[in-house]
Coordinates of all heavy atoms in Angstrom, one line a residue:
M1 N 34.4 -15.5 2.2 CA 33.1 -15.2 1.7 C 32.6 -14.0 2.5 O 33.0 -13.9 3.7 CB 32.1 -16.4 1.9 CG 32.4 -17.6 1.0 SD 31.0 -18.8 1.3 CE 31.7 -20.2 0.3
V2 N 31.7 -13.3 1.9 CA 31.1 -12.2 2.6 C 29.6 -12.3 2.4 O 29.1 -12.4 1.2 CB 31.5 -10.8 2.1 CG1 30.8 -9.7 2.8 CG2 33.0 -10.6 2.3
D3 N 28.8 -12.3 3.5 CA 27.4 -12.4 3.4 C 26.8 -11.0 3.3 O 26.9 -10.2 4.3 CB 26.8 -13.1 4.6 CG 25.3 -13.1 4.6 OD1 24.7 -12.8 3.6 OD2 24.7 -13.4 5.7
L4 N 26.2 -10.6 2.2 CA 25.8 -9.2 2.0 C 24.6 -8.9 2.9 O 24.3 -7.7 3.2 CB 25.4 -9.0 0.5 CG 26.6 -9.2 -0.5 CD1 26.1 -9.0 -1.9 CD2 27.8 -8.4 -0.1
D5 N 23.8 -9.9 3.3 CA 22.7 -9.7 4.2 C 23.0 -9.7 5.6 O 22.2 -9.4 6.5 CB 21.6 -10.8 3.9 CG 21.0 -10.7 2.5 OD1 20.9 -9.6 2.0 OD2 20.7 -11.7 2.0
S6 N 24.3 -10.1 6.0 CA 24.7 -10.1 7.4 C 23.8 -11.0 8.2 O 23.4 -10.7 9.3 CB 24.8 -8.7 8.0 OG 25.7 -8.0 7.2
D7 N 23.5 -12.2 7.6 CA 22.6 -13.2 8.3 C 23.5 -14.4 8.7 O 23.7 -15.2 7.8 CB 21.4 -13.6 7.4 CG 20.6 -14.7 8.1 OD1 20.8 -15.0 9.3 OD2 19.7 -15.2 7.4
P8 N 23.9 -14.5 9.9 CA 24.9 -15.6 10.3 C 24.3 -17.0 10.0 O 25.0 -17.9 9.7 CB 25.1 -15.4 11.8 CG 24.8 -14.0 12.0 CD 23.7 -13.6 11.1
T9 N 23.0 -17.2 10.1 CA 22.4 -18.5 9.9 C 22.5 -18.9 8.4 O 22.4 -20.1 8.1 CB 20.9 -18.5 10.3 OG1 20.2 -17.6 9.5 CG2 20.7 -18.2 11.7
K10 N 22.9 -18.0 7.5 CA 23.0 -18.3 6.1 C 24.1 -19.3 5.9 O 24.2 -19.9 4.8 CB 23.1 -17.0 5.3 CG 22.8 -17.3 3.8 CD 23.1 -16.0 3.0 CE 22.0 -15.0 3.3 NZ 22.2 -13.8 2.4
L11 N 25.1 -19.4 6.8 CA 26.2 -20.3 6.7 C 25.6 -21.7 6.4 O 26.3 -22.5 5.7 CB 27.0 -20.3 7.9 CG 28.4 -21.0 7.9 CD1 29.2 -20.5 6.7 CD2 29.1 -20.8 9.2
I12 N 24.5 -22.0 7.0 CA 23.9 -23.3 6.8 C 23.5 -23.5 5.3 O 23.7 -24.6 4.7 CB 22.7 -23.5 7.7 CG1 23.1 -23.4 9.2 CG2 22.0 -24.8 7.4 CD1 22.0 -23.4 10.2
E13 N 22.9 -22.5 4.7 CA 22.6 -22.5 3.3 C 23.8 -22.6 2.4 O 23.8 -23.3 1.4 CB 21.7 -21.3 2.9 CG 20.3 -21.5 3.2 CD 19.9 -21.3 4.6 OE1 20.7 -20.7 5.4 OE2 18.9 -21.8 5.1
V14 N 24.9 -21.9 2.8 CA 26.1 -21.9 2.0 C 26.7 -23.3 2.0 O 27.2 -23.8 0.9 CB 27.2 -21.0 2.7 CG1 28.5 -21.2 2.0 CG2 26.7 -19.5 2.5
V15 N 26.6 -24.1 3.1 CA 27.0 -25.5 3.1 C 26.2 -26.3 2.1 O 26.7 -27.0 1.3 CB 26.8 -26.1 4.5 CG1 27.1 -27.6 4.5 CG2 27.8 -25.4 5.5
G16 N 24.9 -26.0 2.1 CA 24.0 -26.7 1.1 C 24.4 -26.4 -0.3 O 24.4 -27.3 -1.2
L17 N 24.7 -25.1 -0.6 CA 25.0 -24.7 -2.0 C 26.4 -25.4 -2.4 O 26.5 -25.8 -3.5 CB 25.1 -23.2 -2.1 CG 23.8 -22.5 -2.0 CD1 24.0 -21.0 -1.9 CD2 22.9 -22.8 -3.2
G18 N 27.3 -25.4 -1.4 CA 28.6 -26.1 -1.7 C 28.4 -27.6 -2.1 O 29.0 -28.1 -3.0
K19 N 27.6 -28.2 -1.3 CA 27.3 -29.7 -1.5 C 26.6 -29.8 -2.9 O 26.8 -30.8 -3.6 CB 26.5 -30.2 -0.4 CG 27.3 -30.4 0.9 CD 26.6 -31.2 1.9 CE 27.5 -31.4 3.2 NZ 28.6 -32.3 2.9
Q20 N 25.7 -28.9 -3.2 CA 25.0 -29.0 -4.4 C 25.9 -28.9 -5.6 O 25.8 -29.6 -6.6 CB 23.9 -27.9 -4.5 CG 23.0 -28.0 -5.8 CD 22.1 -26.9 -5.9 OE1 22.4 -25.7 -5.7 NE2 20.9 -27.2 -6.3
L21 N 26.9 -28.0 -5.5 CA 27.9 -27.8 -6.6 C 28.7 -29.1 -6.8 O 28.9 -29.6 -7.9 CB 28.9 -26.6 -6.2 CG 30.1 -26.5 -7.1 CD1 29.6 -26.2 -8.6 CD2 31.0 -25.4 -6.6
L22 N 29.2 -29.7 -5.7 CA 30.0 -30.9 -5.8 C 29.1 -32.1 -6.3 O 29.6 -32.9 -7.1 CB 30.5 -31.3 -4.4 CG 31.6 -30.3 -3.8 CD1 32.0 -30.7 -2.4 CD2 32.8 -30.3 -4.7
M23 N 27.9 -32.1 -5.9 CA 27.0 -33.2 -6.3 C 26.7 -33.0 -7.8 O 26.6 -34.0 -8.5 CB 25.7 -33.2 -5.5 CG 25.7 -33.9 -4.3 SD 24.0 -34.2 -3.6 CE 23.3 -35.0 -5.0
T24 N 26.5 -31.8 -8.3 CA 26.1 -31.6 -9.7 C 27.3 -32.0 -10.5 O 27.1 -32.7 -11.5 CB 25.8 -30.1 -9.9 OG1 24.8 -29.7 -9.1 CG2 25.5 -29.8 -11.4
R25 N 28.5 -31.6 -10.1 CA 29.7 -32.0 -10.9 C 29.9 -33.5 -10.9 O 30.1 -34.2 -11.9 CB 30.9 -31.3 -10.3 CG 32.2 -31.5 -11.2 CD 33.3 -30.8 -10.6 NE 33.1 -29.3 -10.6 CZ 33.5 -28.5 -9.7 NH1 34.1 -28.9 -8.6 NH2 33.2 -27.2 -9.8
G26 N 29.7 -34.2 -9.7 CA 29.9 -35.6 -9.6 C 28.8 -36.4 -10.4 O 29.1 -37.4 -11.1
S27 N 27.6 -35.9 -10.3 CA 26.5 -36.6 -11.0 C 26.6 -36.5 -12.5 O 26.4 -37.5 -13.2 CB 25.1 -35.9 -10.5 OG 24.9 -36.1 -9.1

């Protein structure tokens, strides 16, 4: 993955987005 904003803390949001994808599919 490449963060275009170069904000290292965004990795926390990326985790949330990944979990949201898996949850959406599972739900």
Side-chain angles (χ1 to χ4, degrees):
M1 290 188 187
V2 178
D3 176 16
L4 302 179
D5 295 327
S6 300
D7 175 8
T9 62
K10 197 182 291 183
L11 191 54
I12 298 172
E13 274 76 24
V14 169
V15 170
L17 289 173
K19 287 188 176 294
Q20 185 186 40
L21 172 62
L22 293 175
M23 274 194 57
T24 302
R25 188 179 293 144
S27 299

